[in-house]
Amino acid sequence: MAVDVAIVGAGPAGASAAIEAARLGLDVAIIDENCDAGGQVWRAASPAILAAPRSPERERGDRLRAALSAARVDARFATRVWHLEREGDRFRLALAGPHDAATLEARALILATGAQERVFPVPGWTTPGVIGLAAATALMKEQGVLPGRRVVVAGVGPLLVYVASEISRHGGTVVALADLNPAGAWLASPAALLSRPDLLARGAGWLAQLATARVPVRRGWGVRRIEGGEAVARVTLGPVDANWAPAAGAEWTVAADAVCLGHGLSPAIEATRQLDAAHVFDPVDGSWRPELDRDGRTSVPRLYACGDGAGILGADAAPWRGIVAARATARDLGRAAEDDPAPRRRLARAARFGAAMAALTAPRPGVLDAITPETIVCRCESLTRAALEAEIADGGVSPGALRAGTRCGMGPCGGRFCAETASMLAARATGRDRAEFGLPTARSPLRPVAIAAFDAGFDYADIPFAAPSPL
């Protein structure tokens, strides 16, 4: 099957791009591995919790889903894009759906792959009961399930307060909230913050809820270690310095059965890397992103990126990024699409706040000092910090060399959890900048794929075995 434009990702950016592209007369297909549109932020709730109190995110997600359903768009949900390639003037997408595998061709491709969670290791972070902040958000939004009954919420960024308030609202107990940043960090970009008084008011409401629940909040604190066997039992916290390194001071150990740990978000760029688009390192938020023009065009002809997969700017900026990319696609495919500056103005306004929030989570070098030599860094391959540093000392100072020597990044996560820590360790050991370390090669499958997606209807009796040769 062939379409004018294929869109990977049906979050706020991808779904908005699909709606706009269809309005402009393009033949559109959108693919998402979730069961409905909305992405992580505007995630659809399961039928089991539809009676739960509605949130602004759920309201916006419902409106987006209704608009997408009404648009002339071929929407393929519960479908994973596991391989991408460019053949001549067409893109070919390999899909794994709920029942079978398929391929899709498109004249243009918009990638709205969103963000991936950033979690730096601490001793004990592989203990059952430790979950990322973004993962905890998805769990509560979609299923209404708490990550635990007595929870430590730790890390950095605006998700800290949101997750803690949601746990409290759903009846759980937040035994401690530890923020690596000092309280004054939120005042670093006052103009950007004041540009969205509505979001500031929501944040103040979450803080008021935590104060009512008497949640202990420690600013400038981080996790020292997580203890427990088959489940989290205790968490030790302590102060950190301005670079997030453990600092002198009394430690505090609390009993808990879960930990929500996270250090912000970074763009999910496996797809743009696989298609050999140019990427740049952004020192402001400490992440790699595809190099784009103002309309979302990458260095590859008719390949576009929008949403947080194009750089972390948040959910409010995402729909406008999708609309801008869709209009650029329509113009490049020869369809009449006015170059209206209004979406770019709306995008610029939303981006100011989102960029300020992302900057709060830019990794600081001291975060490595919390990782002991025996702490696992690469979870898939059970590689410790000591093992990685030994390979780096032996010459593994590029992503490919480190992968070849240790298998770091070759597991099911494809390096999404370990690559950033590994690059920071290599940069520290060699005295180089993180940007010099570069990016690992993206390889298929882009995400793990079940074998069942490829063997539907397969029967060994159908194999045409040749007759045996005569003696």
Side-chain angles (χ1 to χ4, degrees), residues 272-436:
T272 47
R273 282 162 46 207
Q274 187 171 70
L275 290 168
D276 291 327
H279 289 75
V280 295
F281 182 76
D282 187 346
V284 176
D285 66 7
S287 63
W288 288 90
R289 57 174 174 79
E291 188 173 19
L292 306 173
D293 71 3
R294 66 174 188 169
D295 291 326
R297 295 180 183 89
T298 72
S299 61
V300 177
R302 296 199 307 280
L303 175 65
Y304 312 81
C306 60
D308 279 349
I312 306 299
L313 293 179
D316 283 348
W320 300 110
R321 298 174 93 176
I323 290 170
V324 168
R327 293 186 176 189
T329 304
R331 290 195 297 274
D332 294 348
L333 291 179
R335 299 296 176 91
E338 68 280 8
D339 190 7
D340 183 0
R344 291 197 199 98
R345 288 198 297 267
R346 297 292 297 270
L347 169 57
R349 179 174 179 267
R352 291 177 63 196
F353 187 89
M357 293 298 97
L360 288 173
T361 68
R364 300 184 187 178
V367 74
L368 298 179
D369 296 330
I371 310 172
T372 60
E374 63 275 10
T375 299
I376 288 176
V377 173
C378 177
R379 300 168 65 110
C380 299
E381 301 294 336
S382 298
L383 296 169
T384 64
R385 172 177 181 162
L388 293 180
E389 289 186 322
E391 183 64 27
I392 292 167
D394 201 32
V397 292
S398 72
L402 195 57
R403 174 185 281 177
T406 65
R407 292 185 55 85
C408 180
M410 292 184 70
C413 90
R416 285 182 290 278
F417 272 96
C418 61
E420 191 160 12
T421 303
S423 70
M424 290 179 68
L425 289 172
R428 173 179 284 191
T430 59
R432 297 191 301 172
D433 188 86
R434 268 188 64 197
E436 296 180 59

Side-chain angles (χ1 to χ4, degrees), residues 66-370:
L68 182 63
S69 296
R72 195 168 165 272
V73 173
D74 176 11
R76 305 186 186 193
F77 295 111
T79 299
R80 180 163 288 185
V81 178
W82 65 272
H83 176 72
L84 293 166
E85 60 186 34
R86 185 179 174 88
E87 293 187 354
D89 63 349
R90 298 267 176 145
F91 293 95
R92 177 172 291 179
L93 293 74
L95 313 178
H99 306 297
D100 57 10
T103 58
L104 177 68
E105 290 190 352
R107 297 169 61 201
L109 177 60
I110 298 176
L111 297 174
T113 49
Q116 61 190 33
E117 186 154 24
R118 175 192 281 149
V119 182
F120 287 104
V122 294
W125 76 308
T126 58
T127 305
V130 181
I131 185 173
L133 287 173
T137 301
L139 185 68
M140 290 186 286
K141 282 184 177 179
E142 183 174 357
Q143 303 296 333
V145 174
L146 287 168
R149 303 303 305 179
R150 292 179 52 82
V151 188
V152 171
V153 179
V156 69
L159 275 182
L160 277 173
V161 178
Y162 174 76
V163 168
S165 67
E166 284 294 281
I167 291 171
S168 179
R169 186 172 71 87
H170 282 85
T173 299
V174 180
V175 294
L177 186 154
D179 188 345
L180 289 168
N181 280 328
W186 293 88
L187 303 177
S189 303
L193 296 180
L194 292 174
S195 71
R196 293 302 306 272
D198 55 330
L199 296 181
L200 285 179
R202 288 197 71 196
W206 296 335
L207 289 171
Q209 184 177 349
L210 296 181
T212 301
R214 297 186 177 180
V215 172
V217 177
R218 297 289 188 273
R219 305 284 185 186
W221 278 54
V223 175
R224 290 278 203 274
R225 57 190 171 275
I226 301 166
E227 298 173 286
E230 296 300 315
V232 172
R234 294 171 302 281
V235 182
T236 300
L237 307 168
V240 299
D241 63 18
N243 284 318
W244 297 354
E251 295 183 342
W252 178 37
T253 299
V254 295
D257 60 12
V259 178
C260 295
L261 179 67
H263 301 87
L265 305 170
S266 59
I269 55 174
E270 296 92 339
T272 47
R273 282 162 46 207
Q274 187 171 70
L275 290 168
D276 291 327
H279 289 75
V280 295
F281 182 76
D282 187 346
V284 176
D285 66 7
S287 63
W288 288 90
R289 57 174 174 79
E291 188 173 19
L292 306 173
D293 71 3
R294 66 174 188 169
D295 291 326
R297 295 180 183 89
T298 72
S299 61
V300 177
R302 296 199 307 280
L303 175 65
Y304 312 81
C306 60
D308 279 349
I312 306 299
L313 293 179
D316 283 348
W320 300 110
R321 298 174 93 176
I323 290 170
V324 168
R327 293 186 176 189
T329 304
R331 290 195 297 274
D332 294 348
L333 291 179
R335 299 296 176 91
E338 68 280 8
D339 190 7
D340 183 0
R344 291 197 199 98
R345 288 198 297 267
R346 297 292 297 270
L347 169 57
R349 179 174 179 267
R352 291 177 63 196
F353 187 89
M357 293 298 97
L360 288 173
T361 68
R364 300 184 187 178
V367 74
L368 298 179
D369 296 330

Side-chain angles (χ1 to χ4, degrees), residues 13-105:
S16 297
I19 295 165
E20 183 68 5
R23 184 187 72 82
L24 294 170
L26 296 177
D27 186 15
V28 183
I30 188 167
I31 306 101
D32 195 288
E33 60 188 22
N34 292 304
C35 294
D36 210 339
Q40 299 298 328
V41 177
W42 297 352
R43 177 178 287 271
S46 70
I49 64 165
L50 287 178
R54 301 183 68 81
S55 66
E57 291 81 12
R58 195 161 141 202
E59 296 281 0
R60 295 182 72 177
D62 286 346
R63 290 195 295 271
L64 182 76
R65 286 181 280 275
L68 182 63
S69 296
R72 195 168 165 272
V73 173
D74 176 11
R76 305 186 186 193
F77 295 111
T79 299
R80 180 163 288 185
V81 178
W82 65 272
H83 176 72
L84 293 166
E85 60 186 34
R86 185 179 174 88
E87 293 187 354
D89 63 349
R90 298 267 176 145
F91 293 95
R92 177 172 291 179
L93 293 74
L95 313 178
H99 306 297
D100 57 10
T103 58
L104 177 68
E105 290 190 352

